Amino acid sequence: MAAHCGELQLNVERMAKSYREGRNQFPLLGGELDGNLLTRLYAEASWCAKVRSADQKALMALTQELSIVMDDINLKAPLAAKGKALADAWSAPNESAARAEVATKLDRIAAIIREINQRPLKR
């Protein structure tokens, strides 16, 4: 369980970095950043929270924040997918700004999963 959740965290961290660099495909997480990938990612992160034993209220708050962040990403993803890597942002400024915002939100998802993973596992 811990290994799977740790791997999920690393994959989301890599996804944020890759997204910032202009990539749109994330095979380790299931493909293109879209509603389907976000739904699967939320389900896995929620499962990681459910197998933890400490402070269920805090874990619930983290999964609620995760849901809100993912909704924001889902709204901005179509515009952001047209954006360029930071080095080429001048050629599509609005789209690239959306891409940078989505990448920052992906960083937050990784941080939430990291916070979840710091809790002890149920026995």
Side-chain angles (χ1 to χ4, degrees), residues 49 52-62 119-120:
R52 305 294 167 171
S53 62
D55 198 2
Q56 290 299 310
K57 277 187 167 183
L59 288 169
M60 182 181 287
L62 287 170
R119 308 291 200 290

Side-chain angles (χ1 to χ4, degrees), residues 11-29 31-34 37 73 76-88 95-96 98-100 102-104 106:
N11 287 337
V12 174
E13 288 170 354
R14 289 179 188 135
M15 182 170 100
K17 183 177 186 272
S18 295
Y19 199 76
R20 200 171 268 111
E21 293 170 351
R23 293 186 192 95
N24 290 321
Q25 292 292 324
F26 310 99
L28 294 176
L29 291 169
E32 186 177 356
L33 180 61
D34 63 7
L37 184 140
I73 290 173
K76 293 187 181 354
L79 179 64
K82 298 174 188 172
K84 308 291 182 188
L86 292 179
D88 299 322
E95 295 85 350
S96 298
R99 177 175 284 277
V102 167
T104 299
L106 291 171

